[in-house]
Amino acid sequence: MSMDRLQVLETMCKHWEGPMSLALYLSDSEAQQFLRYALSSAALLARKNIGYHIVFKEGQFYPINYLRNVAMRQATTAYVFVADADFLPMLDLYGYLRKLLSTGAASEHAKKAYIIPAFETQRYRLDFPGSKSELLSLLDLGILYTFRYHVWPKGHAATDFSRWKSATKPYTVQWESDFEPYVVVHRDVTDFDQRFVGFGWNKVSHAMALDAQGYEFVVLPNAFMIHMPHAPSFDIAKFRSSSSYRRCLKTLKTEFQQDLSRKYGVKALKYMSGENS
């Protein structure tokens, strides 16, 4: 989380009552600003289950996967939901997940990546849906969309939103090229690959690694999260405007796929044949 996303933190607290491990990417002066903010916020002061982990700024690119790893490794719970600060989870998602993960033996959940279906809105003021049925109504009205539907539908297409709309039980989906779901996994999950900084392939690479390790992707039928609008980041602007940035990203993709192939052998060949978009 960077300073420009800080305004969502109090709202996030209303949506997620469970423990939170937050990685904050700040300069020295911003760290002081954050401290003053946290000490003046009644919502944050009331919480005793939030860990703040400051990573001081260095370099020109946002180290998104390093920050995810910091937050994940500082979590004290058995399972982690790795989410970005631009999203708000559905109300009581924490309670829903606790109930799910307390059912059955721990071994039943060990190699599963539970997908929280992701949606988005372009409205800064949103009457947040309190249930799946309310969300479906907002989808029908065009107030909500499946996440990145207009610019990158491949990222979440494997979730199978058409099936999700009427689903009442969890269902398994297969990994597809460029899949980048938001998932709940056991805390011993593999790290995010830190060579991916800024914009591009930071989650795609992780989902690919999970598939290579034999994780089962399971979509939860009564869970959702919504991406809230914000100004474009420096990194996505750089990706769109700089051909050298895109070439570097393509090189990193190839290196990552080759590493998977060396590590997992023949079964990783499908990643090499996937489209490098």
Side-chain angles (χ1 to χ4, degrees), residues 2-4 25-35 57:
S2 54
M3 201 67 184
D4 62 333
Y25 191 54
L26 307 172
S27 66
D28 289 354
S29 60
E30 287 173 339
Q32 294 302 314
Q33 292 177 47
F34 170 74
L35 181 60
K57 285 185 174 179

Side-chain angles (χ1 to χ4, degrees), residues 10 18 39 52 134 138 147 149 153 181 205-206 208 237 245 257-258 263-264:
E10 290 184 343
L39 292 175
Y52 304 103
E134 290 181 15
L138 295 178
F147 183 50
Y149 170 78
S205 56
H206 195 247
M208 191 177 287
Y245 187 111
Q257 290 168 319
Q258 290 172 344
K263 187 172 183 179
Y264 297 105

Side-chain angles (χ1 to χ4, degrees), residues 197-209:
V197 296
F199 178 82
W201 254 54
N202 49 74
K203 292 197 309 299
V204 170
S205 56
H206 195 247
M208 191 177 287

Side-chain angles (χ1 to χ4, degrees), residues 60-229:
Q60 61 174 312
F61 297 113
Y62 191 72
I64 179 63
N65 279 353
Y66 178 74
L67 296 174
R68 285 175 174 143
N69 289 337
V70 167
M72 199 162 57
R73 295 307 163 213
Q74 295 299 321
T76 59
T77 52
Y79 300 91
V80 291
F81 170 34
V82 186
D84 294 338
D86 305 326
F87 281 88
L88 289 177
M90 75 175 199
L91 296 167
D92 199 33
L93 178 59
Y94 176 66
Y96 175 83
L97 292 173
R98 283 196 68 182
K99 183 177 180 180
L100 169 77
L101 295 168
S102 64
T103 303
S107 59
E108 294 179 24
H109 306 290
K111 277 280 192 165
K112 289 184 179 178
Y114 292 104
I115 295 172
I116 309 299
F119 300 85
E120 69 175 326
T121 181
Q122 298 301 318
R123 300 193 178 192
Y124 284 86
R125 293 178 179 272
L126 174 70
D127 187 7
F128 201 92
S131 65
K132 179 176 179 176
S133 61
E134 290 181 15
L135 180 138
L136 292 175
S137 295
L138 295 178
L139 274 176
D140 290 339
L141 292 171
I143 296 173
L144 293 180
Y145 305 91
T146 55
F147 183 50
R148 302 196 75 196
Y149 170 78
H150 297 95
V151 294
W152 188 242
K154 293 174 66 176
H156 294 265
T159 300
D160 194 351
F161 289 100
S162 295
R163 181 177 180 182
W164 182 83
K165 289 179 180 180
S166 58
T168 57
K169 295 181 179 180
Y171 59 91
T172 298
V173 296
Q174 301 302 310
W175 174 87
E176 295 178 4
S177 180
D178 298 311
F179 194 29
E180 51 177 3
Y182 289 92
V183 298
V184 176
V185 288
H186 195 273
R187 62 170 296 165
D188 64 2
V189 68
T190 188
D191 282 346
F192 285 80
D193 194 296
Q194 293 176 189
R195 80 186 88 183
F196 293 103
V197 296
F199 178 82
W201 254 54
N202 49 74
K203 292 197 309 299
V204 170
S205 56
H206 195 247
M208 191 177 287
L210 294 183
D211 183 66
Q213 293 169 22
Y215 275 75
E216 179 186 359
F217 292 100
V218 180
V219 181
L220 298 181
N222 293 307
F224 60 85
M225 59 197 297
I226 299 177
H227 181 268
M228 306 305 290

